[in-house]
Amino acid sequence: MAEASNRGEYPTSSTRIGMDTDPDSTLTEFFTNCDDYLLFQFTKFYRDRLEQAIEEGVEGLALMLIGEDHFSGQEYQKVSELVEKGNRAGSSKLLLNLVMEKGSRARRMMWESFVKMHQSLRKLGTILREIQELGSDPINYMKVGQELSEIPSHLKDVQQKHKETLRVQTETLRVNTILIKEKVKIFQLVDRYAELTVISTVRDRTLVEHELLARGRDHEEWREKHLRRELEKIRTDQLFQSSFSQRKSKSGNSAAVSGVPGIGKTTMVQKIVYDWATGKIYLHFQFVFSFKFRDLNTINCRINLRNLILDQYPYFGNILGELWKNPEALLFIFDGLDEFKDSIDFADNRRNTEPQYMCTDPECWCEVSDIVYSLIQHKLLPGCSVLVTSRPTALHLLEKAEISVWAEILGFVGDERKEYFNKFFEDQTVAAAVFKHVEENEILYTMCYNPSYCWILGLSLGPFFTQRASKQQQVPKTITQLYSYYIYNILKNHGREIENPRDVLLKLGEMAFTGVSEKKIVFRNGDLIEYNLQPSQFLSGFLMELLEKDDSAQSVVYTFPHLTIQEFVAALTQFLTPDPGEIGKLLSEAHSKEDGRFELFLRFVAGLSSPQSARPLEEFLGQFLHQATCRVIDWVKEKVEGQIGDTQTETGARKLLNTFHYLFESQNKALARNTVGSEETLSFSGLRLTPIDCVVLSHVIGLCDTIKHLDLRQCYIQYEGIRRLGPVLHKCQELSLGHNAVGDSGAKLLSAALRNPECKIQKLDLFGNDLTDSCAEDLASVLSTNRSLVDLDLSLNKLGDSGVKLLSVALRNPECKIQKLDLYDNALTDSCAQDLASALRTNHSLIDLYLGDNKLGDSGVKLLSVALRNPDCKILKLHLYNNALTDSCAEDLTSALCTNQTLRTLSLESNSFTDQSVPALRRLILTCRSLEEIWLEWNQFSPNGKRQLESLRGSRRGLRVTV
């Protein structure tokens, strides 16, 4: 801290970035004016965030420091080695450590380098902008939440009592099982808790589908693209660190954490409380009070904050008044805003006109909603901190609230999934086997970002891998099969407790369906009575009991362990009802709902029509009604046939894809063949497809032999999508896969499909797919051996000269059948022209060659012209637009094509031809009798030159000359 003595004047707010000035120049000026002490404080305060922010540019930053003699070559090498090993997080941490060790000059150079790099590093730019907004006294702001407050001695005993109470309440984790002898297992929280990835923002997304489907649909791709580059991870102990605050408030901080159902919000809150109680985090908070909105729902009268706390923590007695004196030392946690029965209006204009909604005194009697509102808005105990958790669907309620930090739980990322299964199973061999199965099944793996789904998978799949190896042949393939086995395990362990489990499940399913219809997940005794259900040990296998507090006693409410289980039981009912007459109407009404609440329910219904899914359940529930199964199959058939021709719009394509999901869940091969079997074209162009969608599509195509054209342009399927579709692509005659970012690895998978001896692919579009010369050898191998492919579009890639040289070797093969080859915009120069010319001299099939938007130049075209003179050259269409051509090559080209006499189309637009080329071009047009059209726009002809060329339009019937 020796540098503290150098502390000078702080930059004032007048140096902050102006909207009408150059950001880079004002940033440079700002950090030039910062003294060494302030730069030291900035580095220390933003340290965790800076480590994330510079990960993508750490090597460039190290190079800048080398250039200014602040880093040695050896130090740069250490940073680079970590990057090469894929440990960018470690490399950025090392760089910051090295800079901090070197002192003020290196630190200043680092911040100046940040200014130079912030445009390309989004997270770094965010930090720099925040620093600009700190105002004239940033030191005081940076101290917020960092100082430990001394607790008065007379409060130490109650604090110790409170911490011990919270520790006991939170140190164990209750995990539900499906075993009759051990319905609940209790673990130590620290042994079971798996870290989740939390980001310091909330994604702007409208959930129009079932939350499981919406998150599963784009989950992995979205993370890979944004997490490292744009989104900042935030640890739970940083939620009240002011560097993440979006609102700079001295009256206290409020944090909102969002997450879909089952993602771990409540368990995260439990871990926060436990860590505080054991002295690991939030040491600046003297007292933490945690509430569940589910419990607050039972309070039906006015109450004050004092009694709200005493009801849960009675040992505070009469000393709460002492706590009110130091609100900065208090943290209030409210878990599950989406479950709160009352609405909270955070629009201050309404609050100001209706002061009865305001609660400014902890002794004031008011509604629970007003206490929550006033704490979050810092009207009550200003200075205290508040943490609120919520599903995304209720997050809009907080839009007008004084929230300082917004965060979202993304769930498990990468190896965090594996860690969960390792902790779930005591036998690590079983853990590895289950995870391997999940990892290889895209349908299941995508679910595993969510701890609740991991829990379901662990319960359901574990038994398969703890019994004989032969049992593994029956491991669930679809989501319906997985849930069927989950329910099967419950029935197996609880079925003897009740005479008629079918009757109970029918009633339970009716209640579940009503809940799905009304978006209701919590059921009371009144609901059970309405559906003639009695609480029992059997029923407890399906419903979790939750204790709620009311004024007189504790009451019990019920919920399914997860919404997806509720949806499955609701679907199961359709096959148990004694009168399935209206099932078709019910399914159609559910299908018509636009908010997606029934989407997974419908997939389960379709899946339960499958014998593979029904069989294990029928062992305990008796035969499913054949009439119901037939009507479900008829309904699916009707929906597929109704959608199959309507893919012109994104809505239509999405609906068809959903019906394909029904086909997949049903695993009904005959149904798929009967509904899709006569189709020749499937188009999902412009609709973003996930690996799951590709699995479903692969299943459908695999059962149909008539699909000739598969159009997946701009579906962004990437390598993972190609991997799922790979086994069936050879069946199609035309594949449109443009703009899908399949990359070289995806192209290699496609090459494998093209090598299939039964390959029918005649036309393959791979334009705009990030292909380089790395995949050219595989493609060349295919061109030499494939007998069906005649049309290959490789435009808008980066094959380069080296890639085209490899392709040219294949084109020289007399067995090559390619007739059309598009190499538009592939960074080609004259270096590959000799190889292309050699191919044109020997190839007898190629008739259409696109070389536009490259840089072949005059020398390259002259080499091609030699090959075009060959009488065996069959070229009919030659596209050379925008290739830096000048008058120098006009004579060679004319001479070659006049000899050729097969050319029909010549494209020469966007080059640099002048009037000097006009005589040669006129001769070409007049002499080449096969020529039907020549394109010469956007060259450098004079008006007179244009007139001379245009005058030839009528020289031959049908000739088109465009200048």
Side-chain angles (χ1 to χ4, degrees), residues 60-338:
L61 185 57
L63 276 174
M64 289 183 181
L65 293 170
I66 273 191
E68 296 294 328
D69 295 327
H70 292 297
F71 262 25
S72 67
Q74 187 177 10
E75 289 169 328
Y76 173 79
Q77 188 64 33
K78 288 180 179 178
V79 172
S80 297
E81 285 175 358
L82 288 173
V83 173
E84 289 170 6
K85 293 176 181 177
N87 186 8
R88 285 189 171 271
S91 68
S92 62
K93 185 186 291 287
L94 174 62
L95 185 143
L96 286 170
N97 284 338
L98 291 170
V99 169
M100 290 299 280
E101 290 171 3
K102 291 177 181 293
S104 60
R105 287 184 64 249
R107 192 156 48 247
R108 182 172 294 278
M109 181 61 208
M110 178 181 72
W111 281 95
E112 290 175 1
S113 300
F114 287 167
V115 173
K116 295 175 183 176
M117 299 180 71
H118 80 279
Q119 296 284 8
S120 59
L121 300 176
R122 182 169 175 177
K123 288 190 275 192
L124 185 59
T126 300
I127 293 172
L128 296 185
R129 285 190 295 274
E130 286 181 11
I131 289 175
Q132 291 289 296
E133 296 300 321
L134 291 183
S136 59
D137 195 7
I139 294 295
N140 280 341
Y141 171 74
M142 288 189 283
K143 287 180 179 178
V144 172
Q146 304 300 310
E147 299 176 351
L148 298 181
S149 54
E150 184 66 27
I151 186 169
S153 57
H154 64 284
L155 293 180
K156 287 184 178 179
D157 288 343
V158 73
Q159 185 195 56
Q160 191 59 38
K161 168 72 173 174
H162 188 50
K163 284 189 172 185
E164 180 61 20
T165 300
L166 293 182
R167 183 191 66 78
V168 171
Q169 288 178 353
T170 58
E171 67 182 350
T172 57
L173 191 64
R174 297 169 60 86
V175 178
N176 294 284
T177 75
I178 49 178
L179 304 176
I180 188 170
K181 294 180 180 177
E182 194 177 21
K183 291 197 298 181
V184 176
K185 274 191 170 185
I186 298 177
F187 298 89
Q188 290 297 307
L189 177 66
V190 293
D191 295 335
R192 192 75 173 188
Y193 187 77
E195 288 297 332
L196 296 157
T197 293
V198 183
I199 54 173
S200 62
T201 185
V202 175
R203 292 173 287 173
D204 183 15
R205 174 197 286 287
T206 302
L207 293 180
V208 295
E209 296 183 1
H210 184 286
E211 286 174 323
L212 163 65
L213 302 179
R215 286 299 193 245
R217 190 173 297 285
D218 62 3
H219 192 68
E220 284 304 302
E221 177 278 328
W222 187 91
R223 290 178 181 201
E224 187 172 339
K225 181 178 179 181
H226 296 286
L227 186 56
R228 195 170 71 188
R229 295 183 181 179
E230 299 178 15
L231 300 177
E232 293 187 279
K233 293 182 182 179
I234 179 171
R235 300 192 309 269
T236 52
D237 63 328
Q238 296 174 320
L239 289 171
F240 295 96
Q241 187 179 98
S242 51
S243 70
F244 285 99
S245 295
Q246 296 177 13
R247 293 176 183 264
K248 314 305 181 187
S249 171
K250 293 184 179 180
S251 60
N253 291 311
S254 294
V257 177
S258 166
V260 297
I263 201 71
K265 299 184 292 296
T266 298
T267 307
M268 182 198 73
V269 165
Q270 182 177 341
K271 185 67 161 53
I272 287 174
V273 174
Y274 176 79
D275 284 347
W276 175 81
T278 53
K280 294 177 182 176
I281 64 171
Y282 296 147
L283 302 182
H284 55 289
F285 292 131
Q286 293 176 0
F287 294 95
V288 172
F289 300 105
S290 182
F291 303 93
K292 288 181 170 62
F293 278 106
R294 183 180 292 165
D295 296 333
L296 299 180
N297 284 340
T298 63
I299 300 174
N300 297 314
C301 58
R302 296 169 76 84
I303 195 172
N304 58 25
L305 180 60
R306 168 187 289 278
N307 286 341
L308 196 64
I309 293 174
L310 290 178
D311 182 51
Q312 193 158 320
Y313 309 107
Y315 44 81
F316 277 94
N318 296 319
I319 64 169
L320 283 174
E322 291 293 315
L323 273 58
W324 311 149
K325 296 176 183 178
N326 187 19
E328 291 80 5
L330 305 179
L331 169 62
F332 294 91
I333 300 175
F334 294 97
D335 183 30
L337 176 63
D338 50 279

Side-chain angles (χ1 to χ4, degrees), residues 594-732:
E594 296 293 333
D595 60 6
R597 76 182 74 174
F598 286 109
E599 190 52 57
L600 202 57
F601 163 80
L602 291 171
R603 292 189 188 183
F604 282 142
V605 171
L608 284 167
S609 70
S610 161
Q612 298 101 303
S613 298
R615 194 174 296 119
L617 297 175
E618 288 177 331
E619 182 180 331
F620 295 96
L621 301 177
Q623 290 290 310
F624 284 7
L625 287 175
H626 180 67
Q627 187 181 5
T629 300
C630 291
R631 292 194 178 182
V632 169
I633 293 172
D634 289 341
W635 181 83
V636 173
K637 183 174 183 290
E638 175 191 333
K639 288 303 166 189
V640 177
E641 291 175 343
Q643 291 294 147
I644 197 71
D646 180 24
T647 58
Q648 290 77 26
T649 65
E650 182 176 341
T651 300
R654 173 60 67 191
K655 286 182 177 178
L656 177 61
L657 186 63
N658 279 336
T659 60
F660 279 6
H661 276 274
Y662 304 155
L663 286 177
F664 177 77
E665 290 296 323
S666 75
Q667 292 291 295
N668 190 325
K669 296 180 180 180
L671 178 60
R673 292 191 184 102
N674 291 337
T675 52
V676 191
S678 60
E679 284 300 305
E680 294 188 354
T681 299
L682 285 180
S683 176
F684 295 98
S685 179
L687 187 67
R688 197 164 162 277
L689 303 181
T690 65
I692 285 183
D693 296 327
C694 292
V695 169
V696 170
L697 201 53
S698 177
H699 172 78
V700 173
I701 295 172
L703 297 174
C704 304
D705 296 321
T706 59
I707 304 297
K708 293 181 179 179
H709 183 196
L710 179 62
D711 185 357
L712 300 181
R713 288 170 296 162
Q714 295 180 303
C715 291
Y716 204 58
I717 59 177
Q718 301 180 287
Y719 166 80
E720 288 300 323
I722 292 292
R723 187 162 76 86
R724 270 69 179 186
L725 287 164
V728 300
L729 292 179
H730 69 278
K731 302 179 66 174
C732 305

Side-chain angles (χ1 to χ4, degrees), residues 349-383:
N349 56 347
R350 173 179 168 183
R351 293 286 174 170
N352 291 336
T353 57
E354 299 184 34
Q356 68 268 22
Y357 285 89
M358 189 72 68
C359 176
T360 58
D361 187 339
E363 313 289 335
C364 175
W365 293 82
C366 56
E367 301 295 331
V368 173
S369 59
D370 297 314
I371 295 175
V372 176
Y373 162 82
S374 300
L375 284 171
I376 292 175
Q377 297 296 79
H378 316 304
K379 311 292 185 185
L380 174 60
L381 297 179

